[in-house]
């Protein structure tokens, strides 16, 4: 099915004793300064964010204790809800950047996470799509806030590493509040609502007590992205196969 992609996120977990700053990470990866940069006002709190555009996509890097997040974020298009245009083209760009980042750090865990959605004409239609996609038929009439998740681990031949493959489906009504500024005040508009079925994909390696050997890091990154592509395309069937 043709999912819309809200965001794409690569997460690198490193030993907590190591410290990184989002501005420097951005410079190292993109060879230019970010459009935006923030860090926690307390110097004892290791948390910073850098953001900007690269290859036509909106990127954000977050650095905090024990982890680095690199994301491609969606933007409003035909609807006010964010979506990544050309998400298929975004995948190889993010994968290469993820490999560059991961091979330059001590990694104790790696993850690839994404939020996908399919807009529906009504909540009952979203419930029907949920039941089909999550293999959860027989939902009671009038049911709402449907959620179902499952993790099935998979072992790979590369150094015998194991990945968690977690899928979470939900049927819901997305809401967004819009504000219109005029005459020096903010005027609140009615909320925008959109029934949808949502799929969260989280593919991650089992946490290790020692860093992953650098020689296999790129292979692991490629595997995580390949698993994501398969789960996005085949969903439940790929998970239980």
């Amino acid at each position: 099915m043709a999912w819309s992609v809200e965001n794409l996120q690569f997460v690198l977990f490193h030993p907590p004793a190591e410290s990184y700053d989002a501005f420097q990470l951005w410079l190292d990866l993109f060879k230019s300064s970010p459009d935006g940069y923030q860090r926690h006002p307390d110097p004892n709190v290791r948390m910073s964010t850098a953001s900007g555009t690269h290859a036509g996509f909106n990127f954000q890097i977050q650095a905090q204790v024990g982890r680095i997040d690199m994301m491609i974020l969606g933007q409003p298009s035909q609807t006010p809800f964010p979506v990544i245009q050309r998400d298929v083209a975004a995948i190889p760009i993010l994968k290469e950047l993820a490999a560059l980042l991961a091979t330059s750090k001590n990694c104790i865990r790696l993850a690839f996470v994404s939020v996908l959605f399919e807009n529906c004409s009504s909540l009952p239609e979203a419930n029907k799509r949920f039941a089909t996609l999550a293999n959860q038929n027989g939902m009671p009439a009038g049911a709402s806030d449907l959620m179902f998740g499952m993790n099935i681990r998979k072992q790979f031949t590369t150094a015998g590493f194991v990945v968690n493959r977690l899928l979470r489906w939900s049927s819901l009504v997305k809401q967004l509040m819009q504000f219109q500024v005029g005459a020096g005040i903010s005027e609140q508009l009615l909320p925008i609502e959109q029934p949808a079925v949502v799929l969260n994909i989280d593919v991650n390696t089992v946490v290790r007590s020692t860093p992953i050997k650098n020689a296999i890091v790129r292979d692991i990154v490629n595997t995580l992205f390949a698993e994501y592509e398969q789960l996005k395309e085949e969903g439940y069937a790929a998970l239980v196969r």
Side-chain angles (χ1 to χ4, degrees), residues 15 18 105-109 208-214 217:
E18 299 177 4
K105 303 290 182 286
N106 291 317
C107 311
I108 57 176
R109 191 177 198 179
R208 299 167 58 97
S209 58
T210 58
I212 302 169
K213 293 181 180 179
N214 191 266
V217 166

Side-chain angles (χ1 to χ4, degrees), residues 10-55:
F10 175 73
V11 188
L12 183 157
F13 296 88
H14 57 79
E18 299 177 4
S19 180
Y20 300 100
D21 180 74
F23 190 93
Q24 187 60 52
L25 291 169
W26 186 282
L27 285 177
D28 293 341
L29 286 171
F30 301 114
K31 311 305 179 186
S32 63
S33 298
D35 296 333
Y37 172 73
Q38 292 181 322
R39 63 176 299 170
H40 198 281
D42 186 343
N44 296 315
V45 178
R46 293 181 289 166
M47 184 180 299
S48 57
T49 302
S51 58
T53 58
H54 174 72

Side-chain angles (χ1 to χ4, degrees), residues 92-215:
I93 295 172
L94 183 60
K95 180 169 68 173
E96 180 57 26
L97 290 169
L100 290 173
L101 178 65
T103 52
S104 68
K105 303 290 182 286
N106 291 317
C107 311
I108 57 176
R109 191 177 198 179
L110 298 172
F112 184 70
V113 185
S114 182
V115 177
L116 318 175
F117 65 92
E118 178 189 347
N119 290 334
C120 301
S121 61
S122 64
L123 187 57
E125 181 193 347
N127 290 343
K128 290 180 181 179
R129 291 294 295 147
F130 166 89
T132 299
L133 295 168
N135 198 31
Q136 297 295 306
N137 294 308
M139 291 290 109
S144 62
D145 301 315
L146 304 179
M147 293 177 287
F148 175 71
M150 182 164 55
N151 177 30
I152 298 182
R153 287 184 169 182
K154 187 175 181 179
Q155 184 164 353
F156 291 86
T157 56
T158 303
F161 77 94
V162 178
V163 298
N164 294 301
R165 301 178 303 145
L166 176 62
L167 296 185
R168 292 189 297 269
W169 296 266
S170 57
S171 172
L172 49 80
V173 177
K174 298 189 293 182
Q175 290 188 333
L176 182 69
M177 299 297 295
Q178 282 194 334
F179 295 86
Q180 184 178 33
V181 179
I185 62 173
S186 295
E187 180 182 355
Q188 183 174 336
L189 302 180
L190 294 175
I192 299 174
E193 296 186 341
Q194 175 61 63
V197 57
V198 177
L199 173 61
N200 293 73
I201 301 178
D202 186 347
V203 186
N204 62 81
T205 61
V206 174
V207 66
R208 299 167 58 97
S209 58
T210 58
I212 302 169
K213 293 181 180 179
N214 191 266

